[in-house]
Amino acid sequence: MEAIEDIEYEGLSPNAGLGVNMAAGALAGITEHAVMFPVDSIKTRMQVFATSPAAVYTGVGNAFTRISSTEGMRALWRGVSSVIMGAGPAHAVHFGAYELVKEMAGGNVEGASNQWIATSLAGASATIASDALMNPFDVIKQRMQLHKSEFRSAIVCARTVYRTEGLSAFYVSYPTTLTMTVPFTAVQFTVYEQLKALLNPSGAYSPATHMLAGGLSGAVAGAVTTPLDVAKTILQTRGTSADPEIRHCRGLAHAFRIIWQRDGLKGFARGLAPRVLTFMPSNALCWLSYEFFKAAIRD
């Protein structure tokens, strides 16, 4: 097999085929989520309104030190099985839908004036499809990430949530997730495509370009959508809360009201630092993995 470095990487036909894009997306998604999972666990804990002083953290470093010293390093990985089970299929759907819609919308036509519109539309469409699949796995993940979570198995967690709260518990945050991830993905894909074209106008294979463009696009998209992510975390973990108001939180508007009443404007930035820290390297790794696996599979 010819070395990857010798492949006319970006010069290959942009329509690689649905199967190739889905396989590359699945591998990229699993890689991305597994590597950055401990930081994601810290983000979840910083976003919830904890009643125990032991679960209140002043920053990423403080959270990492306290969790690892009092609960052990394994606590930072609790819930990773759920994310791996969901990330592969969800990312396969995500990237497959992205490439399919982008091609249909004319985003692969060289020199087309509507490329940024096509990539935004493709990114948003991909998110709607993949989040429908991923949302239940994300609920299970966050329930397992919480301080003193009773769950050690994703299967047990899923059964318990279904038995005590019903099927709706897995999708109560779906409208909020879409409200957040549709603009997140549209911003991410648009910034990525524009930066990639700016940094690598020749279209030659350039891992550094994919990493830099992916990391910056993830940071921008993650920062902009943090308020919505805080609301989503409240909705997804409401069933474990001892607070009656949080436990009966009905949706995005109600979650925003709770955040505003309890923490003011700064409450909407809860977990901002670990969210950006998660998305910068994870997006860089995700795009690098995706582009690498796409080239490798096609070759």
Side-chain angles (χ1 to χ4, degrees):
M1 185 178 74
E2 188 179 8
I4 295 300
E5 285 77 13
D6 296 330
I7 294 175
E8 282 293 328
Y9 192 73
E10 297 293 346
L12 294 170
S13 171
N15 186 15
L18 188 60
V20 170
N21 289 314
M22 291 183 74
L27 291 168
I30 292 172
T31 305
E32 167 199 353
H33 286 289
V35 170
M36 296 308 301
F37 193 82
V39 184
D40 183 72
S41 292
I42 290 171
K43 184 215 69 171
T44 295
R45 293 200 184 197
M46 290 180 71
Q47 287 182 334
V48 297
F49 287 94
T51 54
S52 170
V56 178
Y57 311 103
T58 58
V60 177
N62 173 259
F64 181 83
T65 301
R66 289 175 57 188
I67 293 169
S68 58
S69 62
T70 59
E71 302 175 52
M73 288 293 292
R74 290 182 63 182
L76 291 167
W77 293 95
R78 200 164 57 224
V80 71
S81 58
S82 176
V83 118
I84 289 175
M85 284 189 287
H91 276 69
V93 169
H94 187 103
F95 281 103
Y98 171 71
E99 296 289 356
L100 182 64
V101 174
K102 182 183 173 186
E103 172 68 18
M104 293 174 64
N108 289 330
V109 178
E110 189 174 351
S113 59
N114 68 328
Q115 279 189 336
W116 70 272
I117 297 175
T119 53
S120 294
L121 178 63
S125 300
T127 298
I128 292 171
S130 63
D131 277 352
L133 181 59
M134 188 65 191
N135 213 80
F137 293 99
D138 200 48
V139 171
I140 294 166
K141 176 203 75 172
Q142 289 203 309
R143 295 291 181 99
M144 295 180 71
Q145 286 176 327
L146 294 175
H147 177 66
K148 290 188 176 180
S149 172
E150 64 182 286
F151 304 114
R152 296 297 181 271
S153 162
I155 303 299
V156 172
C157 181
R159 287 175 178 168
T160 303
V161 172
Y162 178 74
R163 185 177 64 250
T164 58
E165 300 173 53
L167 184 63
S168 63
F170 295 106
Y171 283 98
V172 66
S173 63
Y174 183 56
T176 301
T177 299
L178 287 182
T179 303
M180 174 184 69
T181 53
V182 168
F184 174 92
T185 310
V187 169
Q188 177 198 176
F189 276 109
T190 303
V191 173
Y192 175 77
E193 294 286 356
Q194 296 301 312
L195 283 175
K196 186 173 70 171
L198 178 67
L199 296 170
N200 188 24
S202 67
Y205 172 59
S206 174
T209 295
H210 297 307
M211 289 187 69
L212 182 58
L216 291 175
S217 64
V220 172
V224 168
T225 55
T226 293
L228 291 162
D229 190 54
V230 178
K232 186 194 79 163
T233 297
I234 289 175
L235 287 167
Q236 292 192 162
T237 60
R238 66 176 190 172
T240 62
S241 178
D243 188 306
E245 187 178 16
I246 292 177
R247 194 171 183 85
H248 295 95
C249 185
R250 297 181 300 276
L252 177 59
H254 192 185
F256 272 173
R257 189 160 61 249
I258 291 172
I259 296 166
W260 175 257
Q261 290 172 347
R262 299 186 180 208
D263 210 15
L265 193 61
K266 70 178 186 295
F268 294 100
R270 293 171 74 98
L272 173 64
R275 182 166 166 80
V276 171
L277 283 174
T278 296
F279 279 115
M280 278 195 75
S282 69
N283 265 46
L285 178 61
C286 183
W287 278 109
L288 179 65
S289 302
Y290 171 64
E291 301 280 9
F292 170 82
F293 285 129
K294 188 167 75 170
I297 291 169
R298 290 180 60 178
D299 190 67

